[in-house]
Amino acid sequence: MSYSLELYYGPMSVLDVVLGRPLPSSEERAEQIGPAKGIPIFGLDALGSAAYGPEAALTLLIPLGVAGLHYILPLSACIIVLLAVVYFSYRQTIAAYPSGGGSYIVARQNLGTFSGLLAGAALLIDYALDAAVGISAGIGALTSAAPSLHPHTLALCLISLLILTVVNLRGVRETGAIFMTPTYLFLACMGIALVIGIAKAIGSGGHPTPVVSPPLSHAAAGVVSLWLLLKSYASGCTALTGVEAVSNGVGAFREDRVKNARRTLGIIIAALGLMLAGIAYLVKAYGIVATDPNGNNYQSVLSMLLGAVVGRGWFYYVSIASILLLLTLSANTAFADFPRVCRFVAEDGYLPTAFANRGRRLVYSEGICVLALITAALLIGFGGITDRLIPLFAVGAILSFTMSQAGMVAHWKREGGPGARRNMLINLLGAIATGITVLIVIAAKFSEGAWVTLVAIPSLIALMYGVHKHYVKIRREIEIKTPLDADRQSPPILVVTIQGWTRVNKQALRVAMVLSPDIKVVHVAEENQPNEFCDRWREYVEQPAVRSRLPIPELVRISSPYRFVVTPIVQYVNQLAADNPDRRIITVIPELMERRWYYWLLHTQRATILKTRILMECSDRVSVLNIPWHLKSV
Amino acid sequence: MSYSLELYYGPMSVLDVVLGRPLPSSEERAEQIGPAKGIPIFGLDALGSAAYGPEAALTLLIPLGVAGLHYILPLSACIIVLLAVVYFSYRQTIAAYPSGGGSYIVARQNLGTFSGLLAGAALLIDYALDAAVGISAGIGALTSAAPSLHPHTLALCLISLLILTVVNLRGVRETGAIFMTPTYLFLACMGIALVIGIAKAIGSGGHPTPVVSPPLSHAAAGVVSLWLLLKSYASGCTALTGVEAVSNGVGAFREDRVKNARRTLGIIIAALGLMLAGIAYLVKAYGIVATDPNGNNYQSVLSMLLGAVVGRGWFYYVSIASILLLLTLSANTAFADFPRVCRFVAEDGYLPTAFANRGRRLVYSEGICVLALITAALLIGFGGITDRLIPLFAVGAILSFTMSQAGMVAHWKREGGPGARRNMLINLLGAIATGITVLIVIAAKFSEGAWVTLVAIPSLIALMYGVHKHYVKIRREIEIKTPLDADRQSPPILVVTIQGWTRVNKQALRVAMVLSPDIKVVHVAEENQPNEFCDRWREYVEQPAVRSRLPIPELVRISSPYRFVVTPIVQYVNQLAADNPDRRIITVIPELMERRWYYWLLHTQRATILKTRILMECSDRVSVLNIPWHLKSV
């Protein structure tokens, strides 16, 4: 027999209003997106990098003064080349793994479980940091623009986090729709400013006059060294975080998936590359040196650049606002990709299975909520100012790129076929380039905190192995392929707990009497106390049972000198189970159900405690039958 | 059949170490106390009053300068007379209500429910304030002696609270033993100091020379008025709080209870009266004027008095230390009496019944814990400095005295007999005196916060009536005196929820098949998905059942387009109950039991949610049979 159920969604519940009505699985296709929405969903982090990547690289060049600007073009070129390598590599991954192929999948399938978990753990940690740092950077920029908001930094961070969480829980399509405007506004502003700036620079023979002059830089205080340039490169590489996101989210695109995902990735990378190149060129042309982020006269590089190119008019302020907004929203990439990575890992049994269930809006709600909790903990722990977390990230992202590329090398080697050799070479190049970058980033940032990541990643991997081991043990223990042993069993012994004669308990006893002829009614009291129920036992229970020729329940009075009620019942049931090794025992627990939660304060929680203790402390042969009585009048 | 249970207390649990092993009810007598322990348990608050009562009265006389000292003797005399009246009244109450007769009992039995609740609510609120103010005053005195502790005020308050709570939970006898030393040390110090002081004063013809001169008082800045004197009297009356405690705790004394309780009360009142009289006399003789508590040169009256009488030697410091300790511990009276008042009110059904249960150490643990929570909330809310709460209390205590006296008047009137007339007159006098005092205290402190008490008392009374109404409704609905209707019932329909074929679910199905021939196995899945269990249903379940000639369960496949699992099952069960109005339904829920709590994170909490929702949302005819499977290998 097959029974099909029509879910009725009458009055909207609060949850329906906040998160949207549940979507049936059949609407999956309607939820799928194209590049226009894909860019805001998966690209915010990468695009936002344009705002902090060059800044991070330039900050390390401050000691060199204006002379440091000679190095920004080659440094940016290296980063852009790396970006291009990563792009070509992921283009191939998307085609090879059209149902979603982030570094976890690629590394696991081609290099083995450990490599997969390494890539997955690195990525998960990076996203968690990313979400906290993104939100905190956006709010930090806001509070430096409006210092009166400064005391509310943490509250503003948490509100942003809540909004991001709710929007993401509402599903992919809505997220894309909501974040489209800020994304494209940012791209438009940056594009216009860069085009104007480059035109001016070329028009003036490479030496444009700034509309608003950037502050004069101090004289060079240090000399250039390879180590300084490597550190600057390592910092600039934060621009690469978030590039991975599209590859895990291929499944969210509509058909032709591969084409749409590739196009989205291409646009994101192209926009990011152009912005990085343009910024590097203009910074050099206008002679803009980064200012000390801890100094009083701090001004961000993009703010100086915009001032120099277009002056402090409305366009400046719109652009700055769009940058702030984008920084805050850049945390969204973590929200889009973290749950997907968790899902892939959970499907292989290395994270709790709940991560693999799609929630009411067809997104992986559990992952979104867990990320929100981790982010909230980080934000609260650091009071909303997460500067100290910045050196921790990028390691994870670039490490996962390396694993992914290496995995693809193995993939092509195994796969063979036309073009495999060329593709393998591209990925090998990528693996080497990103591998070297990982080493540089770890070395350059080790003492500033990258070591924390190096501790966190193995810990998370160990946890994942632990989870998997536990699941395997459970599966081994409970999995069977044998049919029901349908031998005749003797009826169970029913233990009915009754402290007084009420409708609640009477109903429970009636139910028990249908189920088995073997019924013990247990009554617990302090010693030597007269009790109305026990005293009238014959009248209340025995005689009616005799009259109806029903089996007669047995009254068991337990005296409890310590006034405990639950413990004696648990001990009695355990004793009964030991005395009857071939029988099952059902503990019948009548329970008064209150309508409102605060009425529960008026009752001892004895039934709940008894249920829990019986289930936890007794053997498999002892089960609990909970018989409710709903109050009608109250 | 009667089954007697021996509780085995093998290895001590953490709870046993902290709170002591459970005491059997039969040890009640061993837990009972005599006056030696009764004084520290019930008298700390009253005795501590000597430290702040005169101080409070004198503070209001500051504007009068030295001239104000003329009024301290008559004011103290009034308070001592009131104390004597209260004493004689409670002496009688103890005899009339030997099982405990606080103002709640006396007022309720003689004047009716409302009067009783009025007295009870007033007393409960007073005790809650008392506990917070007592702890905070002691710690405040400590931190002014050792200013480096000042930043830890709240932490110290909460630690004191924790100690008081644990000590009280350990039972009456231990509490008495622990608090005896500080109590008698305080009494000894005060006694010695007062005797020396009075001897010196008499020896010098009423004008003794202070060893350490008290600071010179400012010139009189105000003129005396009746209003000022009334306010001073009202403040001095805080000395009366805590006198009630013995009358509620008569049951804690050993036989002859009445005699022991009366003696305890007598000693407490006599000691307090003597101290109040001695302090008033010496303050006048040495010309000690209170200092501004908010000023820089603040010094407590007792500190000045001790300095003047014995100088600043070791005795001074020991005495001051004993006063600080006593102030902190004075909160213990609240811990001794609040739970007892709650118990009496709960026994009448006006507070949750749990307040009437004696805990493992034969004290009313629930009341102790609730008082600890309220006190903690007050301390945290006011940051450990509860000065603003001081005007709020005393109203409740004196109001409850009035109710008690008035109740006793009615008692004697009804009782009659020899001496009734004389007793009635004593109580009438007491009722009038305390009644007038209540009015004075309310009027004098109204704007400073006494109005809060006047709002809180009616609110608490309303809550108590609400609780009672709810209990009455429940009792009316569930109470029965009719025997079991032992007609034959048809067997229930069993709904077994099975998502996959495991040992856990197989066991549950086996149990179900013994209980009823009518079994539905429910399987929920998204639409059109093949499922190993459903596909092999015939092999796993149907064929073995046929072979053994057992009833054949019916497989119900529910398709859930929204991916919910719990909701469709609840809806199916509700539908089944509606379709079978004369049948009972048992929902069988197999559940995997993990050994350690953190393993639960690895599973969806579906079983728990399903149980709860079935019990809450379905009818009385639907019960839940929870069949556990304990993991062996994990």
Side-chain angles (χ1 to χ4, degrees):
Chain A
M1 178 207 170
S2 185
Y3 181 99
S4 183
L5 200 91
E6 212 41 58
L7 275 187
Y8 170 62
Y9 271 90
M12 301 266 279
S13 74
V14 180
L15 218 58
D16 289 339
V17 175
V18 177
L19 301 182
R21 292 194 166 206
L23 296 174
S25 308
S26 54
E27 277 180 35
E28 173 117 55
R29 291 191 55 187
E31 274 293 294
Q32 289 173 337
I33 52 168
K37 282 182 180 158
I39 292 168
I41 291 173
F42 296 109
L44 278 171
D45 185 16
L47 296 175
S49 305
Y52 56 80
E55 168 108 28
L58 283 165
T59 303
L60 280 158
L61 298 177
I62 293 178
L64 304 181
V66 183
L69 292 178
H70 291 298
Y71 305 101
I72 190 66
L73 278 177
L75 283 174
S76 294
C78 288
I79 294 168
I80 292 168
V81 167
L82 190 62
L83 199 58
V85 168
V86 170
Y87 165 64
F88 281 106
S89 158
Y90 272 116
R91 244 183 86 84
Q92 298 185 1
T93 317
I94 289 170
Y97 294 92
S99 61
S103 36
Y104 168 72
I105 299 271
V106 174
R108 180 161 152 72
Q109 293 203 354
N110 296 298
L111 304 175
T113 303
F114 178 79
S115 304
L117 294 182
L118 176 60
L123 208 51
L124 289 179
I125 288 171
D126 216 56
Y127 279 131
L129 293 168
D130 211 24
V133 172
I135 290 173
S136 151
I139 297 299
L142 176 66
T143 56
S144 45
S148 65
L149 292 175
H150 195 77
H152 308 295
T153 301
L154 181 57
L156 289 169
C157 285
L158 294 177
I159 292 170
S160 310
L161 174 62
L162 186 68
I163 294 171
L164 274 176
T165 309
V166 171
V167 167
N168 275 282
L169 285 174
R170 289 184 68 97
V172 171
R173 211 162 47 145
E174 284 207 25
T175 311
I178 290 172
F179 293 156
M180 265 168 89
T181 316
T183 311
Y184 293 115
L185 178 67
F186 168 80
L187 287 178
C189 288
M190 291 299 291
I192 292 169
L194 293 179
V195 166
I196 294 175
I198 291 168
K200 280 188 181 176
I202 293 174
S204 61
H207 296 287
T209 319
V211 182
V212 176
S213 295
L216 283 178
S217 93
H218 298 285
V223 287
V224 67
S225 67
L226 182 62
W227 179 234
L228 184 73
L229 292 179
L230 285 178
K231 280 176 81 166
S232 174
Y233 170 72
S235 288
C237 280
T238 49
L240 268 72
T241 59
V243 169
E244 155 102 7
V246 175
S247 66
N248 278 313
V250 182
F253 287 93
R254 63 169 166 262
E255 296 295 344
D256 172 354
R257 275 185 192 179
V258 170
K259 208 173 111 194
N260 278 319
R262 277 180 159 186
R263 190 171 289 170
T264 306
L265 181 64
I267 296 170
I268 293 170
I269 301 270
L272 175 57
L274 286 175
M275 283 193 286
L276 291 180
I279 291 168
Y281 173 74
L282 289 180
V283 158
K284 174 110 199 304
Y286 281 95
I288 293 169
V289 177
T291 51
D292 179 7
N294 302 316
N296 286 327
N297 300 314
Y298 171 71
Q299 205 186 337
S300 73
V301 169
L302 278 189
S303 165
M304 290 187 279
L305 188 63
L306 282 165
V309 172
V310 295
R312 293 273 165 101
W314 64 268
F315 183 76
Y316 169 86
Y317 289 103
V318 170
S319 305
I320 289 292
S322 79
I323 294 170
L324 300 197
L325 196 55
L326 201 88
L327 277 176
T328 317
L329 299 184
S330 73
N332 191 63
T333 303
F335 276 93
D337 211 23
F338 181 96
R340 290 189 164 80
V341 176
C342 287
R343 170 219 167 177
F344 289 127
V345 180
E347 280 178 346
D348 292 336
Y350 287 90
L351 276 178
T353 40
F355 282 110
N357 296 337
R358 278 174 309 169
R360 55 163 53 208
R361 300 287 284 185
L362 289 165
V363 285
Y364 299 93
S365 311
E366 181 101 359
I368 293 173
C369 294
V370 167
L371 178 62
L373 288 178
I374 297 172
T375 309
L378 285 173
L379 287 172
I380 293 169
F382 288 85
I385 297 158
T386 53
D387 290 353
R388 272 185 290 164
L389 292 179
I390 293 176
L392 274 65
F393 82 122
V395 178
I398 303 171
L399 179 56
S400 77
F401 293 164
T402 313
M403 302 307 299
S404 158
Q405 315 272 0
M408 286 307 286
V409 172
H411 171 82
W412 296 124
K413 201 170 168 185
R414 208 187 51 232
E415 204 82 342
R421 206 187 167 79
R422 186 182 57 92
N423 291 338
M424 194 174 97
L425 272 176
I426 292 176
N427 286 125
L428 187 63
L429 184 72
I432 293 168
T434 49
I436 292 172
T437 306
V438 172
L439 295 178
I440 294 173
V441 172
I442 291 174
K445 297 183 172 183
F446 189 81
S447 59
E448 289 166 61
W451 65 270
V452 177
T453 317
L454 295 187
V455 173
I457 293 174
S459 312
L460 185 52
I461 294 175
L463 184 71
M464 288 168 164
Y465 271 116
V467 167
H468 188 252
K469 199 174 141 199
H470 192 78
Y471 277 138
V472 169
K473 269 192 185 169
I474 292 180
R475 207 172 49 226
R476 248 187 237 138
E477 188 176 328
I478 69 171
E479 230 174 35
I480 39 166
K481 300 278 171 198
T482 52
L484 200 66
D485 352 47
D487 50 325
R488 295 218 162 255
Q489 305 165 75
S490 42
I493 304 173
L494 264 65
V495 176
V496 188
T497 58
I498 294 188
Q499 289 299 95
W501 194 234
T502 62
R503 279 182 220 279
V504 189
N505 295 336
K506 188 167 131 178
Q507 177 193 235
L509 186 56
R510 267 175 66 96
V511 176
M513 288 174 75
V514 198
L515 298 177
S516 169
D518 208 347
I519 293 172
K520 318 267 183 195
V521 172
V522 171
H523 181 271
V524 180
E526 286 187 50
E527 262 167 313
N528 307 325
Q529 282 182 324
N531 176 276
E532 202 259 352
F533 170 63
C534 297
D535 298 345
R536 302 180 67 175
W537 169 255
R538 285 183 56 79
E539 173 195 342
Y540 282 158
V541 181
E542 236 177 59
Q543 290 165 355
V546 171
R547 267 199 302 278
S548 316
R549 294 193 194 158
L550 287 171
I552 300 161
E554 183 180 18
L555 175 64
V556 179
R557 301 181 69 165
I558 300 180
S559 64
S560 169
Y562 296 95
R563 302 167 304 286
F564 295 140
V565 176
V566 173
T567 305
I569 297 176
V570 175
Q571 293 189 340
Y572 170 75
V573 169
N574 266 329
Q575 189 59 49
L576 198 65
D579 294 345
N580 298 278
D582 56 339
R583 302 283 295 275
R584 291 190 179 275
I585 293 163
I586 296 178
T587 316
V588 180
I589 302 178
E591 192 171 1
L592 193 73
M593 308 302 289
E594 286 277 10
R595 290 245 184 95
R596 302 190 187 282
W597 65 266
Y598 46 81
Y599 285 141
W600 291 95
L601 296 175
L602 299 181
H603 307 284
T604 57
Q605 298 312 310
R606 222 172 251 160
T608 311
I609 297 167
L610 181 59
K611 279 188 272 186
T612 313
R613 286 194 55 188
I614 296 262
L615 290 175
M616 298 294 288
E617 296 174 24
C618 298
S619 86
D620 287 345
R621 284 186 291 119
V622 179
S623 46
V624 168
L625 177 58
N626 204 183
I627 299 178
W629 174 281
H630 298 84
L631 288 169
K632 276 96 202 167
S633 66
V634 191
Chain B
M1 178 207 169
S2 184
Y3 181 100
S4 182
L5 200 92
E6 210 42 58
L7 275 187
Y8 169 61
Y9 271 90
M12 301 265 279
S13 74
V14 180
L15 217 58
D16 289 339
V17 175
V18 177
L19 301 183
R21 293 194 165 207
L23 296 174
S25 307
S26 54
E27 276 180 35
E28 173 117 56
R29 292 191 53 187
E31 273 294 294
Q32 289 174 336
I33 51 168
K37 285 183 177 157
I39 292 168
I41 290 174
F42 297 108
L44 278 170
D45 185 17
L47 295 175
S49 304
Y52 57 79
E55 169 108 29
L58 282 165
T59 302
L60 280 158
L61 298 177
I62 293 178
L64 304 182
V66 184
L69 293 177
H70 292 297
Y71 304 101
I72 191 64
L73 278 177
L75 282 175
S76 295
C78 288
I79 293 168
I80 293 168
V81 167
L82 189 62
L83 199 59
V85 169
V86 171
Y87 165 65
F88 281 106
S89 157
Y90 272 116
R91 244 183 87 84
Q92 297 185 0
T93 317
I94 289 169
Y97 295 91
S99 62
S103 36
Y104 168 71
I105 298 272
V106 175
R108 179 160 153 71
Q109 294 204 353
N110 297 298
L111 303 176
T113 304
F114 178 80
S115 304
L117 295 182
L118 176 59
L123 209 51
L124 289 178
I125 287 171
D126 215 56
Y127 279 132
L129 293 168
D130 211 24
V133 171
I135 290 174
S136 150
I139 297 298
L142 176 66
T143 56
S144 47
S148 65
L149 293 175
H150 195 77
H152 308 293
T153 301
L154 180 58
L156 289 169
C157 285
L158 293 178
I159 292 169
S160 310
L161 173 63
L162 186 67
I163 294 172
L164 274 177
T165 308
V166 171
V167 167
N168 275 283
L169 285 175
R170 290 184 68 97
V172 170
R173 209 162 47 144
E174 284 207 26
T175 311
I178 290 172
F179 293 155
M180 265 169 88
T181 317
T183 311
Y184 293 116
L185 177 68
F186 168 81
L187 286 179
C189 288
M190 291 299 290
I192 293 168
L194 293 179
V195 166
I196 294 176
I198 292 168
K200 281 188 180 177
I202 293 174
S204 62
H207 297 287
T209 320
V211 182
V212 176
S213 295
L216 283 178
S217 94
H218 298 284
V223 288
V224 67
S225 66
L226 183 61
W227 179 234
L228 185 73
L229 293 179
L230 285 178
K231 280 176 82 166
S232 173
Y233 170 74
S235 288
C237 279
T238 50
L240 268 73
T241 59
V243 168
E244 154 103 6
V246 174
S247 65
N248 278 313
V250 181
F253 287 94
R254 64 170 165 262
E255 295 295 343
D256 172 350
R257 276 185 190 181
V258 169
K259 208 173 112 194
N260 278 320
R262 276 181 160 186
R263 191 172 289 170
T264 306
L265 182 64
I267 296 170
I268 292 170
I269 300 269
L272 174 58
L274 286 174
M275 284 192 286
L276 290 180
I279 290 167
Y281 172 74
L282 289 180
V283 158
K284 174 111 199 304
Y286 280 95
I288 293 169
V289 177
T291 51
D292 178 7
N294 301 316
N296 285 328
N297 301 313
Y298 170 71
Q299 205 185 338
S300 73
V301 169
L302 278 189
S303 165
M304 290 187 279
L305 188 62
L306 282 165
V309 172
V310 295
R312 294 273 165 102
W314 65 268
F315 183 76
Y316 168 84
Y317 289 103
V318 169
S319 305
I320 290 292
S322 79
I323 293 169
L324 299 197
L325 196 55
L326 200 88
L327 276 178
T328 317
L329 300 184
S330 73
N332 191 64
T333 303
F335 275 93
D337 211 24
F338 180 96
R340 290 189 164 80
V341 177
C342 285
R343 170 219 167 175
F344 290 126
V345 180
E347 281 178 345
D348 292 336
Y350 287 89
L351 277 178
T353 40
F355 283 111
N357 295 338
R358 278 174 310 169
R360 55 162 53 206
R361 301 287 284 185
L362 289 165
V363 285
Y364 299 93
S365 309
E366 180 100 0
I368 293 174
C369 294
V370 167
L371 178 61
L373 288 178
I374 296 172
T375 309
L378 284 174
L379 286 171
I380 292 169
F382 287 84
I385 297 158
T386 52
D387 290 353
R388 272 185 290 164
L389 292 179
I390 294 177
L392 273 65
F393 83 121
V395 178
I398 303 172
L399 178 57
S400 77
F401 294 164
T402 313
M403 301 307 298
S404 158
Q405 315 272 0
M408 286 307 286
V409 173
H411 170 83
W412 296 125
K413 200 170 168 187
R414 206 186 53 231
E415 204 83 340
R421 205 186 168 78
R422 185 183 57 93
N423 292 338
M424 195 173 98
L425 272 175
I426 292 176
N427 287 125
L428 187 62
L429 184 70
I432 293 168
T434 49
I436 292 172
T437 306
V438 172
L439 295 179
I440 294 173
V441 172
I442 291 175
K445 297 183 171 183
F446 189 81
S447 59
E448 290 166 59
W451 65 269
V452 176
T453 317
L454 294 188
V455 173
I457 293 174
S459 311
L460 185 52
I461 294 176
L463 185 71
M464 289 168 164
Y465 271 115
V467 168
H468 188 252
K469 198 174 140 197
H470 191 78
Y471 278 137
V472 169
K473 270 192 183 168
I474 291 181
R475 207 172 50 228
R476 246 187 239 138
E477 187 176 328
I478 69 172
E479 230 174 34
I480 38 165
K481 298 281 172 198
T482 53
L484 200 66
D485 353 46
D487 50 327
R488 294 219 162 254
Q489 305 165 76
S490 43
I493 305 173
L494 264 66
V495 175
V496 189
T497 58
I498 295 188
Q499 289 299 93
W501 193 234
T502 62
R503 279 183 221 279
V504 188
N505 295 335
K506 188 168 132 178
Q507 176 192 236
L509 185 55
R510 267 174 67 95
V511 175
M513 288 174 75
V514 197
L515 298 177
S516 168
D518 208 347
I519 293 173
K520 318 265 183 197
V521 172
V522 171
H523 181 273
V524 180
E526 286 187 51
E527 262 167 313
N528 306 326
Q529 282 183 324
N531 177 275
E532 202 260 352
F533 170 64
C534 296
D535 297 343
R536 302 179 67 173
W537 168 256
R538 284 183 56 81
E539 174 195 342
Y540 283 158
V541 181
E542 236 177 59
Q543 290 165 355
V546 171
R547 267 198 302 277
S548 314
R549 294 193 193 157
L550 287 171
I552 300 162
E554 183 181 17
L555 175 63
V556 179
R557 299 180 71 165
I558 301 180
S559 65
S560 169
Y562 295 94
R563 301 167 303 286
F564 295 140
V565 175
V566 173
T567 306
I569 298 178
V570 175
Q571 293 189 341
Y572 170 75
V573 169
N574 266 329
Q575 188 58 49
L576 198 64
D579 293 345
N580 298 277
D582 56 339
R583 303 282 294 275
R584 291 190 179 274
I585 293 164
I586 297 179
T587 316
V588 180
I589 303 179
E591 192 171 1
L592 193 73
M593 308 301 289
E594 286 278 10
R595 290 246 185 93
R596 304 190 186 282
W597 65 264
Y598 47 81
Y599 285 141
W600 291 96
L601 295 176
L602 299 182
H603 307 283
T604 57
Q605 299 312 310
R606 223 172 251 161
T608 311
I609 297 167
L610 181 59
K611 279 188 273 187
T612 313
R613 286 194 54 189
I614 295 263
L615 289 175
M616 297 294 288
E617 296 174 23
C618 299
S619 86
D620 288 346
R621 283 186 291 121
V622 179
S623 47
V624 168
L625 176 58
N626 204 183
I627 299 179
W629 173 281
H630 299 83
L631 287 168
K632 277 95 202 169
S633 66
V634 191

